[in-house]
Amino acid sequence: MKKSLLLLSLGLFAVTQFAQAGDLTGVISLKGTPPAEKELSPIKDDPNCSVSYPGALPKTKFYVVDASGDLADVVVVLKGISAPSTGASAAPVVMDQKGCLYYPQILAVQTGQKIIVKNSDNCVHNVHTVPKANDSQNLVQMPGGADLTFTFAKPEPFLKFQCDVHPWMFAWVTVVDGPYFAVSGADGKFTIKNVPPGKYTLEATHRKLGTQTAEVEVKADGAAQNFTFEVK
Amino acid sequence: MNNKYHPALFWFAVLNAVATFLLIGLGGLVTSHEAGMSVPDWPTSYGYNMFALPIKFWTGGAFFEHTHRLLASVVGFLTTILAIWLWLKDSRKWMIWLGIAAFLGVIAQGILGGLRVKLQMDSLGIFHGAVAQTFLVLVCAIALFTSRWWQNSETEKQDSVPRGLRKHIFYVTILIFIQLLIAATMRHQHAGLAISDFPLAHGKIWPDASADAVVRYNAERVETYNVKPITAFQVELQMIHRLVAYTIFLGVAAAFFLARKKLGGRDALTKFAFFWLILLSLQIVLGAATIWKNKAADIATLHVMVGALALLTGALWWLVAARRTRLAV
Ligand SMILES: [Cu+2]
């Protein structure tokens, strides 16, 4: 009886600790006019891919920004927190190949977290990773072929996935050694959930615009930190 | 030393040389289309026997990579036959050795191409390109040595070519080979254009290659191909490529004027030097167009092929001049 009481109080303690962890949120905005995106014109020469685009061809997506200047695809990572990677037990992330493009084009995972690559197209792709710190792989994925699974052991920013059959196909995966990170959405917003209270450095990186950092203090009810990137 | 002219052998050697030249063009297309890794397995293709890959998989980048492998097999086959033919029919011992060298070269080149895919080593691509250029010179030299002119020239009176002119051509040819090594290094960075304007470079006579500037170049660039970010090294390498190009052009122009002065305008070697000068002019236009058209694959590949012809012209010029001079004595 005494023992179970002890366990219960320990459990309660854990829950309160957990409840004290707050969400770290923010909005990323872009100032200035980015370079115009380019049409992926080689798609028209590949009947397997052009079939997906009866109208206009898709364009590059380096600066995904809405009318009010909210910037998507910025990877936000909390630094100075000692939290081991939970990647091995985290839910896998899916990356799809559709219309000879990758969806999403920018994503972030933990070390050891599975990335499941699907082929929704009716043609062959090769899924070729071009890492700096991790090991490179180059795998074929036939139409209707089984999903491929990738994991990365070491942290690395913007590790490139590419298809050499369709050289306009590329995506970037940031591998983080811990669970505290997020990628800004189409509305520019990001949320890093359940951050234990404390003082940290928050790092926001855009594929083209580089990195910005901010010192943040997360309280029991969380914290907010915005970033503004500028095109010079 | 007297060797009989075998027309069939000569024309077969020419066929092998033409196939090799086309193979360099196809290899250039693979790299220009960034398609070198589009078929991850080797010597199989997508798990199939290379010669049995269904045509529906010959798409996109894999079309270039796969046809490159097929044509490479053809060149390997032709070169093997050529080596055997030389061994059977050519009475010159050194020609048999050249045939063996070509055979070993084509095997090594095939393995090198396979390793570049299997080991995913971009740097092997540079070596693969350099060996290809050397191999082209070798098989063209074999064709020259089996030609009627080469074998019957002993019976005709030959005009010697001054040593200074031959030396000049030799050094310009070596410089073209060095230029091809620089070019192969540029192409196998897989980084697209490190400098995207010409004749200026990032708006200047000599571009800013500081870390800040390189970050800015990458940020401003909108890549439609899966190229790597550019580096300061690549910016400087392209500038060196430009400077060497101007030097080669002047060297070839000087070669033509020297040949006209020493050999006269009617001499075949003077005309050949004029052809060389035209090639170099075309090559500079193609180099500029490669930049202006943002490294369009067909133009970049033509630039590779004309580069190969420029090397070849210098090498054959020098061989013919050496032969004539030797027989004139
Ligand atoms: Cu693809």
Side-chain angles (χ1 to χ4, degrees), chain A residues 49 97 100-102 121 123-126 162-169:
Chain A
C49 303
Q97 298 166 102
C100 300
L101 289 174
Y102 285 110
D121 285 326
C123 63
V124 63
H125 296 289
N126 73 303
Q162 67 184 41
C163 172
D164 309 274
V165 178
H166 311 111
W168 60 84
M169 283 180 76

Side-chain angles (χ1 to χ4, degrees), chain B residues 244-263:
Chain B
V244 175
Y246 305 141
T247 311
I248 291 171
F249 180 80
L250 292 178
V252 171
F256 166 63
F257 288 113
L258 274 174
R260 201 173 60 172
K261 196 173 143 199
K262 305 275 183 194
L263 306 173

Side-chain angles (χ1 to χ4, degrees), chain B:
Chain B
M1 183 65 201
N2 249 344
N3 189 57
K4 207 172 153 267
Y5 168 59
H6 302 283
L9 175 58
F10 166 68
W11 287 109
F12 187 79
V14 169
L15 173 72
N16 189 30
V18 170
T20 301
F21 181 62
L22 294 179
L23 182 58
I24 286 183
L26 205 41
L29 278 176
V30 170
T31 305
S32 299
H33 282 279
E34 293 294 340
M37 302 302 290
S38 60
V39 183
D41 49 332
W42 182 90
T44 51
S45 289
Y46 293 147
Y48 288 87
N49 174 314
M50 187 174 97
F51 302 103
L53 180 71
I55 261 198
K56 67 173 171 172
F57 295 124
W58 300 26
T59 63
F63 173 81
F64 301 108
E65 172 66 11
H66 187 64
T67 47
H68 179 59
R69 292 184 188 186
L70 290 180
L71 184 55
S73 314
V74 171
V75 169
F77 184 64
L78 293 179
T79 305
T80 309
I81 293 178
L82 181 66
I84 295 171
W85 201 336
L86 287 171
W87 183 55
L88 293 175
K89 285 281 173 192
D90 207 302
S91 57
R92 296 166 294 182
K93 212 169 193 177
W94 55 276
M95 277 302 281
I96 294 169
W97 283 110
L98 276 190
I100 291 170
F103 173 72
L104 294 178
V106 83
I107 300 290
Q109 178 69 340
I111 291 172
L112 207 51
L115 286 181
R116 184 259 175 275
V117 169
K118 294 292 273 188
L119 304 179
Q120 307 191 20
M121 269 172 72
D122 292 342
S123 53
L124 278 184
I126 302 173
F127 207 47
H128 189 55
V131 172
Q133 302 283 351
T134 314
F135 182 76
L136 177 69
V137 171
L138 175 61
V139 293
C140 288
I142 289 178
L144 174 67
F145 300 151
T146 55
S147 69
R148 187 199 298 269
W149 177 81
W150 191 274
Q151 312 214 42
N152 292 352
S153 48
E154 287 180 33
T155 55
E156 294 156 23
K157 187 190 171 327
Q158 299 291 342
D159 296 324
S160 71
V161 178
R163 197 182 137 106
L165 179 55
R166 281 184 286 132
K167 258 189 159 172
H168 177 84
I169 300 272
F170 182 81
Y171 290 130
V172 173
T173 305
I174 294 293
L175 191 59
I176 292 178
F177 187 71
I178 292 170
Q179 178 77 326
L180 293 177
L181 293 182
I182 294 171
T185 308
M186 290 164 74
R187 286 169 59 76
H188 291 274
Q189 301 284 315
H190 303 284
L193 290 173
I195 306 170
S196 48
D197 51 339
F198 179 84
L200 289 179
H202 289 298
K204 294 182 178 166
I205 303 266
W206 193 268
D208 184 356
S210 64
D212 280 354
V214 171
V215 167
R216 198 176 71 239
Y217 303 152
N218 277 308
E220 284 167 355
R221 185 160 87 144
V222 177
E223 300 95 338
T224 56
Y225 271 67
N226 56 23
V227 290
K228 292 179 184 164
I230 58 175
T231 62
F233 166 72
Q234 292 157 10
V235 172
E236 277 153 4
L237 197 61
Q238 197 196 104
M239 289 312 288
I240 292 170
H241 187 64
R242 291 181 185 192
L243 291 182
V244 175
Y246 305 141
T247 311
I248 291 171
F249 180 80
L250 292 178
V252 171
F256 166 63
F257 288 113
L258 274 174
R260 201 173 60 172
K261 196 173 143 199
K262 305 275 183 194
L263 306 173
R266 289 250 192 89
D267 194 294
L269 281 181
T270 305
K271 288 175 186 160
F272 201 32
F274 184 65
F275 169 74
W276 205 20
L277 184 56
I278 290 182
L279 271 186
L280 256 295
S281 313
L282 176 65
Q283 183 66 340
I284 287 192
V285 171
L286 284 173
T290 300
I291 292 177
W292 293 332
K293 296 285 177 186
N294 192 25
K295 215 170 177 178
D298 41 0
I299 294 174
T301 305
L302 276 179
H303 191 55
V304 170
M305 294 177 83
V306 174
L309 279 185
L311 175 74
L312 188 60
T313 305
L316 294 183
W317 201 105
W318 186 82
L319 286 171
V320 169
R323 174 80 172 160
R324 269 175 46 171
T325 307
R326 214 180 126 191
L327 294 175
V329 178

